[in-house]
Amino acid sequence: MRAHWDRRQVLKRLAAAAGALALPRTGVAEEAPLRLAGRDCEIQIAPVSESTLRLSILPLKDGQAVPVPSNGCLVRESWASPVARLRGRVRAQEIRCGKLRVQIEPDPLAFSFLTSDGKVVQQLAEDRESGAFSFTTGDSPLLGLGEGGPQFDRRGHLDAMVSGQGGYELETHGGRLPIPWIIGTSGWALFFNQPFGTFDFQGAESRFQPASAEDTLPLDVFFIAALEPATIMAEYARLTGRPEKPPLWSLGYQQSHRTLAGRQEILHEAQTFRDKKLPCDALIYLGTGFCPSGWNTENGSFVWNSRVFPEPSEMLSELHRKNFRAVLHVVILSDRLHGRVSDPCRLAAFDEAEASCYWDEHRRDFAMGVDGWWPDEGDPLDIASRLIRNRMYWEGPQMDRPNQRPYALHRNGYAGMQRYGGFLWSGDVYSTWETLRVQVANGINTGLSGIPYWGTDIGGFVPTPEFTAELYVRWFQFGAFCPLFRCHGRAWKLRLPWGWDTGDPGPTEISHYEGAAIPDSSQLHNAKVEPICRKYLELRYRLLPYLYSAVHECSVSGMPIMRALWLHYRDDARAVACADEYLWGRDILVAPVLEKSAAVRRVYLPRGEWHDFWTGERFVGGREIERPVDLETIPLYVRAGAILPLGPVKQFTSEKVAEPLTVSLYDGADGSFLLYEDDGASFNYRKGEWMGIQMNWNDAQRKLTLRLAERSRMVPPLRREIEVQLGESRRALVFDGTPVEVSLR
């Protein structure tokens, strides 16, 4: 490994070659060819933006540079023509690219990335013998790298970047969705578009090793230099795409089922939610093959199981009448996928590897009224196949419902899957306290990797002796502050909000899981669980105006919903290193309780003032506090200056409730908030059919102003009743698109 570089070393080595002439920035030098991995090659440096450049080392064939192959992750193949193409005897030189500078050393081949004022931000150096590249690890956390793997800070670990549930410590860390996107929290990021390989972060010099010698070229790396985290996230969205908005109902609660006893059980579970007034939007049904009796006849089949769904269309209609969405679990059996659903399936025989043919199998069930899909498995799929599947579940439903946003919950994907509105869950984790702890960090890194719609199997998929009502409640509270709010697992009736007070865990289905266990029947009569679940279900639905506004912000900026503290407190080393708490949108700090029998939760509050969401107590940040907790409390803190919109309690997201929107103000600083709203179902917002209410709080004057956001319009109802509250002060107002100002002295 190379020793750590500093700016003085770089300049000293460049000075030794000061007399060398730089090669032209256009045209090609015809000296002794540059060879890497035993192949002639060409170096290209191209601008993407003022903050981002692309470094490509391309093999030559017949004197021509071979283009970087596409796997579908990038929004486009190129952004601008290269400012430099280098072949032959590469000499020490500097290339300017946007606001960045690249200093090149020829032997060994190395690149230093500098800001416009000459600060060395990162170096990339080639090992000619192994084909590996090294770069500086640095002294601050390295984040990103997709879902799963060693958490939270990636420093100190070797990551083989193996995709799927066999990738890394499934029981606690979940499935692995590796993305070679590394965020240096000191102000840089790298995306290795090509090739794929292993990362070693165990030394002062990190190392990227391509998967094989044949895969060494082409090397295609995007480098970003920016102090502002929001800029880094925006640049990554520029490369891999901005997230599409999902349907609003997908942000409500989703209840998953396993082995089904019959038709009456399905309808009974749905009716129980409504009778108990427990908010829920979606019911998810597992497929047979993964359980003895699922919605279909066998694994991979699209034929309904007549024992539990004797009349599928009628039963789906009945669920719709109760205002539930129905989501079906499906499996692709092929280890490759190609094509697009827009290409007609003209094959004489069904080919599951052909996207258009495979999607055709869905369409009959979709026509019956299925609302969404749960594509499981896919671990053997290569990167291109994973993205084709993500895309298929976005574009396929639009063939039959062109103005309706699709929903799909994936177990696999890659960089760019956010362009297809895909949700992701962390796989078949075990029900342990350590798993819950790790999943908090996992969700943060997944969001930083461009995948905002993420969640876990609440309670853990495989029950263990640690699976108790307490663990379930703590996980449920955490799930209420994940974009995907969904319960699922074996012994599935204990995943129902009322399941811990019936004495019935449901079918156990754990015999082949080492260390699995079902709670003793004496633990299954706990009347405390259901009221706590109701509290967080109702809170989730009340927070939907805030959450949906965060989804909109995510779709235009690339900022995740579940946010690392680094995104807003980059100059606070303690905040940057926080792995067990996060921001929900911009203004709410969430600190899940992660220890058994906890009576106190230690919470780090970044600088500024913070308000306890439950008590209203005010705290000065920049320090750690101890927050007493009981079983029903997850610590939540709201930033001073926050404007928090809260809707009425609903039983499902589209329910019409004749109560005003509440806007809660948290004084101590000025603040602003864009309340976003559209119909939550269609793509009409792309045509301008959306409403934004821009709210601004002047703390010194105690005044809140509301105005219609630029390029937006009022959507029904055209008169909005709003109650503004600040502590004990209340003011009622009506907003009809005309600017409004309200004083709360």
Side-chain angles (χ1 to χ4, degrees):
M1 281 188 194
R2 297 178 58 81
H4 179 72
W5 291 11
D6 60 27
R7 184 168 181 267
R8 180 178 298 174
Q9 290 172 310
V10 172
L11 295 177
K12 182 178 179 180
R13 298 182 71 173
L14 288 172
L21 296 176
L23 290 179
R25 297 187 183 182
T26 59
V28 175
E30 297 297 341
E31 301 183 41
L34 172 68
R35 296 181 63 84
L36 294 178
R39 303 170 70 182
D40 295 348
C41 54
E42 175 179 295
I43 298 170
Q44 294 184 4
I45 298 174
V48 174
S49 71
E50 290 188 338
S51 304
T52 303
L53 63 81
R54 183 179 198 174
L55 169 65
S56 304
I57 303 180
L58 308 177
L60 298 178
K61 183 177 182 181
D62 298 327
Q64 299 296 316
V66 179
V68 177
S70 173
N71 57 25
C73 73
L74 298 177
V75 172
R76 49 198 290 191
E77 296 305 312
S78 64
W79 280 262
S81 298
V83 296
R85 297 176 184 268
L86 308 177
R87 295 185 192 176
R89 191 177 300 280
V90 177
R91 299 175 182 178
Q93 59 191 281
E94 179 175 291
I95 306 294
R96 292 186 177 272
C97 194
K99 288 187 176 180
L100 302 176
R101 294 153 57 183
V102 183
Q103 292 176 344
I104 304 173
E105 289 190 271
D107 190 20
L109 184 62
F111 306 87
S112 295
F113 303 108
L114 294 79
T115 58
S116 58
D117 60 359
K119 178 184 177 183
V120 178
V121 181
Q122 185 54 270
Q123 294 97 26
L124 193 64
E126 180 249 353
D127 184 330
R128 291 189 182 236
E129 293 184 5
S130 67
F133 275 81
S134 63
F135 56 94
T136 306
T137 302
D139 300 323
S140 59
L142 298 182
L143 305 179
L145 282 179
E147 178 192 59
Q151 299 290 339
F152 162 67
D153 183 356
R154 305 295 190 170
R155 290 179 302 169
H157 300 287
L158 177 70
D159 194 332
M161 302 289 280
V162 176
S163 180
Q165 298 216 136
Y168 180 85
E169 297 186 12
L170 173 63
E171 293 184 8
T172 51
H173 290 62
R176 185 76 173 100
L177 194 159
I179 297 176
W181 161 247
I182 309 148
I183 296 173
T185 52
S186 60
W188 59 269
L190 286 168
F191 179 55
F192 284 76
N193 178 44
Q194 299 282 352
F196 202 77
T198 294
F199 286 95
D200 184 349
F201 301 109
Q202 297 177 100
E205 288 291 317
S206 292
R207 188 177 178 89
F208 170 72
Q209 180 69 59
S212 68
E214 294 75 23
D215 295 329
T216 301
L217 294 176
L219 178 76
D220 191 39
V221 179
F222 293 87
F223 173 74
I224 300 168
L227 288 177
E228 287 301 324
T231 301
I232 290 178
M233 298 308 299
E235 290 300 295
Y236 185 63
R238 183 195 300 273
L239 300 176
T240 64
R242 295 184 179 88
E244 284 280 1
K245 290 186 179 73
L248 181 61
W249 65 260
S250 65
L251 301 173
Y253 177 65
Q254 302 182 35
Q255 179 64 61
S256 188
H257 301 69
R258 285 189 59 85
T259 293
L260 303 168
R263 180 183 192 276
Q264 291 307 313
E265 180 179 70
I266 294 169
L267 298 179
H268 174 73
E269 300 295 349
Q271 189 59 47
T272 302
F273 272 99
R274 298 300 180 233
D275 291 344
K276 288 179 171 287
K277 295 192 179 301
L278 293 165
C280 181
D281 264 86
L283 302 177
I284 308 176
Y285 299 105
L286 192 69
T288 301
F290 283 72
C291 63
S293 179
W295 75 270
N296 57 4
T297 55
E298 61 181 331
N299 195 19
S301 171
F302 289 87
V303 178
W304 295 81
N305 177 357
S306 60
R307 191 169 70 83
V308 295
F309 281 95
E311 298 169 322
S313 295
E314 180 181 314
M315 291 188 67
L316 291 171
S317 295
E318 178 62 23
L319 293 175
H320 290 160
R321 283 192 289 272
K322 297 180 188 298
N323 295 290
F324 289 101
R325 309 286 178 155
V327 178
L328 301 184
H329 170 273
V330 286
V331 178
I332 183 170
L333 301 178
S334 172
D335 61 2
R336 287 293 182 271
L337 194 63
H338 49 80
R340 291 180 60 175
V341 295
S342 57
D343 301 326
C345 181
R346 297 191 177 95
L347 300 180
F350 171 61
D351 180 1
E352 195 170 34
E354 178 67 43
S356 58
C357 295
Y358 184 54
W359 182 254
D360 277 355
E361 295 295 297
H362 296 67
R363 296 180 73 178
R364 183 178 302 170
D365 295 333
F366 198 49
M368 293 180 184
V370 173
D371 298 285
W373 305 94
W374 174 15
D376 198 357
E377 294 206 324
D379 289 0
L381 296 171
D382 60 20
I383 289 171
S385 297
R386 282 177 244 155
L387 287 171
I388 288 171
R389 186 165 78 157
N390 297 150
R391 184 173 192 160
M392 179 179 69
Y393 280 99
W394 178 252
E395 295 180 348
Q398 294 182 62
M399 295 175 66
D400 298 304
R401 303 175 194 172
N403 197 30
Q404 184 172 311
R405 297 179 222 170
Y407 171 78
L409 173 59
H410 295 275
R411 198 176 87 184
N412 280 285
Y414 193 65
M417 67 177 288
Q418 68 273 12
R419 302 200 303 272
Y420 311 122
F423 279 70
L424 179 72
W425 97 101
S426 62
D428 298 347
V429 297
Y430 276 50
S431 303
T432 70
W433 287 95
E434 174 66 8
T435 304
L436 175 58
R437 184 189 67 79
V438 171
Q439 292 307 300
V440 177
N442 192 9
I444 297 170
N445 267 328
T446 303
L448 288 172
S449 302
I451 302 172
Y453 310 129
W454 177 91
T456 67
D457 287 345
I458 290 176
F461 178 72
V462 180
T464 76
E466 294 184 45
F467 189 41
T468 61
E470 181 190 8
L471 178 60
Y472 171 77
V473 164
R474 293 305 191 194
W475 212 315
F476 198 92
Q477 292 166 344
F478 167 56
F481 291 91
C482 290
L484 174 68
F485 186 17
R486 162 186 169 270
C487 280
H488 177 67
R490 293 176 183 259
W492 75 266
K493 292 196 175 183
L494 295 181
R495 318 312 168 117
L496 295 164
W498 61 87
W500 286 86
D501 196 25
T502 66
D504 178 16
T508 55
E509 304 172 350
I510 62 170
S511 59
H512 63 287
Y513 284 97
E514 184 178 353
I518 300 298
D520 186 82
S521 59
S522 64
Q523 300 180 46
L524 305 182
H525 298 279
N526 189 328
K528 296 179 180 179
V529 175
E530 184 180 332
I532 297 175
C533 288
R534 174 180 286 104
K535 175 179 178 177
Y536 286 91
L537 286 166
E538 291 181 350
L539 178 59
R540 170 69 168 225
Y541 279 72
R542 290 208 68 198
L543 281 168
L544 278 173
Y546 175 82
L547 172 56
Y548 198 53
S549 298
V551 167
H552 170 69
E553 182 185 358
C554 176
S555 73
V556 298
S557 72
M559 287 286 276
I561 301 160
M562 192 174 176
R563 300 183 184 180
L565 299 189
W566 163 73
L567 286 167
H568 295 288
Y569 302 96
R570 64 174 176 83
D571 55 352
D572 182 339
R574 183 76 182 274
V576 172
C578 270
D580 62 351
E581 59 187 65
Y582 57 95
L583 293 168
W584 183 240
R586 173 65 184 93
D587 296 321
I588 301 177
L589 187 147
V590 181
V593 178
L594 306 173
E595 295 181 1
K596 182 180 179 180
S597 304
V600 171
R601 171 59 153 98
R602 299 179 70 86
V603 181
Y604 180 75
L605 298 176
R607 67 173 180 274
E609 293 186 344
W610 296 84
H611 301 254
D612 188 305
F613 177 82
W614 303 110
T615 68
E617 188 177 359
R618 199 157 156 174
F619 296 87
V620 176
R623 63 193 177 104
E624 187 176 77
I625 64 170
E626 289 191 348
R627 207 307 183 171
V629 292
D630 53 23
L631 183 60
E632 71 174 84
T633 304
I634 178 175
L636 302 173
Y637 291 86
V638 185
R639 183 177 63 90
I643 302 170
L644 189 63
L646 296 165
V649 172
K650 295 184 175 184
Q651 297 306 303
F652 47 92
T653 53
S654 60
E655 184 179 20
K656 305 300 181 185
V657 179
E659 293 182 19
L661 177 78
T662 299
V663 174
S664 293
L665 303 174
Y666 292 84
D667 61 354
D670 292 345
S672 64
F673 185 81
L674 176 65
L675 175 65
Y676 176 86
E677 185 179 321
D678 57 32
D679 63 22
S682 76
F683 294 101
N684 291 342
Y685 65 87
R686 296 175 177 173
K687 304 174 185 177
E689 295 183 19
W690 62 277
M691 181 185 73
I693 302 179
Q694 181 61 56
M695 305 183 189
N696 294 287
W697 168 247
N698 185 308
D699 196 60
Q701 297 180 10
R702 287 304 204 247
K703 286 184 179 179
L704 177 70
T705 58
L706 291 79
R707 61 176 175 81
L708 198 61
E710 191 175 345
R711 296 189 301 277
S712 77
R713 64 182 71 172
M714 293 297 295
V715 297
L718 301 181
R719 288 170 53 86
R720 301 300 177 102
E721 294 186 3
I722 299 175
E723 182 178 85
V724 180
Q725 63 179 38
L726 174 63
E728 299 300 318
S729 299
R730 302 286 190 278
R731 296 288 187 275
L733 62 88
V734 173
F735 183 76
D736 60 6
T738 304
V740 176
E741 182 179 281
V742 59
S743 178
L744 289 105
R745 292 189 179 277

